[in-house]
Amino acid sequence: MTSSGFMNRKQEIRDAFVYLLIVLATYFFCQTLIVIIHEHIHSTTAYLLGNMANPLAIYWGNPITLSGWDEGVEYSALFAAGEGVHAAIIAVMPLIFHAIVVTGGIYLLLSRALLQKKWAYHLVFWFIIVNLAELIAYMPIRAFSLHGDIGNINHGLGLNPWITLVVGMPLVLIMLYYLLRHVLPGMYGMVAGDSPLKQYVILITMAFFLFLFSSGIRMAQAQEWLMSLICFLAFALVILSCRPNLPWVVAEEQQFTEKIKQAGHELKTE
């Protein structure tokens, strides 16, 4: 390797490391924001249904580990009072919010709106990842839980957990398909450019946050070994099947790059 090649490689490593730090800062900022929004959607829904006196009275926890957070809704009292439907509505509303954010975010990134806005594209992408990670943590990971949001939904509506799984799981898989098949290659071309290291930073951190950080590792800590294994297998599968050098990824990235060039040309001619 020539000295210039060595310097270029060193600069690429430095740029990839800096981008990794930016990703971590972006993710944890978005995660903190989403946790606060999630709990306040619970409490606000309970307030609007007349089941909570103050929608701001949530319990604040650790924004990094996600421990200690609670919306302050007394679900046991609701079930005891025969208001199971109210409990289910309160439990499901944040999940609907996450689904809307993911769907709308994917639509936005697949449109032409952000083709000339690299950092806006970056921010929307990681905001999607935070919300999709929340959905994955609930479906399928906690589909059979007797507690938490899914447990309260099933209990409140008298649903068999399999019904929740059959309804929720396909929606999550469709979101994952569009994210990995179309949005991820766009992220490679838009943000990482021609840097393979940056592309792998995006791929590995995305897969880690989607399947391990909020799901696989926490399931292992709770000794839920089957669910933990599923999450680790999903992590490995995404890494192997979405590598930047795969032909389908390269073809999709090239199409996205052409869209960027075309959008730039249109802006110049306006």
Side-chain angles (χ1 to χ4, degrees):
M1 180 182 293
T2 64
S3 58
S4 61
F6 175 79
M7 292 302 295
N8 290 338
R9 185 64 172 175
K10 186 176 179 180
Q11 183 63 44
E12 183 184 4
I13 294 172
R14 183 185 296 112
D15 290 346
F17 179 73
V18 170
Y19 184 66
L20 173 61
L21 296 179
I22 293 173
V23 167
L24 295 177
T26 302
Y27 186 88
F28 286 115
F29 170 78
C30 291
Q31 176 187 260
T32 301
L33 181 63
I34 284 300
V35 169
I36 295 171
I37 292 173
H38 180 109
E39 302 303 342
H40 278 98
I41 290 175
H42 280 310
S43 61
T44 301
T45 304
Y47 172 76
L48 293 175
L49 291 174
N51 299 124
M52 190 169 180
N54 181 5
L56 301 179
I58 71 168
Y59 296 97
W60 290 68
N62 189 315
I64 303 299
T65 64
L66 303 181
S67 62
W69 291 89
D70 190 81
E71 64 267 34
V73 177
E74 297 294 339
Y75 287 101
S76 57
L78 292 177
F79 292 130
E83 294 189 314
V85 174
H86 278 203
I89 293 172
I90 294 167
V92 78
M93 289 306 292
L95 305 185
I96 294 175
F97 168 79
H98 296 315
I100 291 172
V101 169
V102 173
T103 303
I106 289 175
Y107 177 82
L108 181 62
L109 295 187
L110 292 179
S111 73
R112 301 169 64 86
L114 302 180
L115 289 181
Q116 298 295 316
K117 301 173 182 177
K118 171 182 174 179
W119 291 110
Y121 200 97
H122 158 94
L123 185 60
V124 172
F125 177 84
W126 291 108
F127 196 64
I128 289 172
I129 299 305
V130 171
N131 283 273
L132 185 53
E134 284 288 313
L135 290 176
I136 291 172
Y138 285 104
M139 190 66 57
I141 305 306
R142 300 172 187 162
F144 296 92
S145 174
L146 300 178
H147 308 285
D149 291 347
I150 297 298
N152 290 328
I153 293 168
N154 291 335
H155 186 187
L157 298 179
L159 295 177
N160 185 308
W162 281 103
I163 296 176
T164 310
L165 182 65
V166 168
V167 172
M169 188 60 185
L171 296 176
V172 172
L173 290 176
I174 290 171
M175 292 173 184
L176 275 171
Y177 171 80
Y178 277 96
L179 176 77
L180 300 177
R181 183 67 175 82
H182 300 292
V183 175
L184 180 60
M187 187 69 175
Y188 289 159
M190 183 74 171
V191 177
D194 58 355
S195 171
L197 286 180
K198 279 188 183 179
Q199 292 173 343
Y200 273 102
V201 165
I202 292 170
L203 174 62
I204 294 172
T205 52
M206 177 203 69
F208 174 79
F209 285 126
L210 283 178
F211 302 108
L212 300 187
F213 183 70
S214 298
S215 298
I217 294 174
R218 295 181 72 183
M219 289 297 101
Q221 291 173 339
Q223 297 185 348
E224 297 283 349
W225 302 116
L226 177 59
M227 287 301 179
S228 179
L229 177 61
I230 291 173
C231 291
F232 276 87
L233 288 175
F235 170 79
L237 179 62
V238 167
I239 297 296
L240 292 174
S241 61
C242 298
R243 300 191 311 277
N245 60 338
L246 292 178
W248 75 265
V249 176
V250 173
E252 195 74 25
E253 184 182 343
Q254 288 174 346
Q255 290 182 14
F256 186 84
T257 302
E258 288 300 317
K259 287 172 60 177
I260 295 175
K261 292 179 180 178
Q262 184 179 357
H265 177 72
E266 290 175 356
L267 285 174
K268 291 179 180 179
T269 57
E270 287 180 356

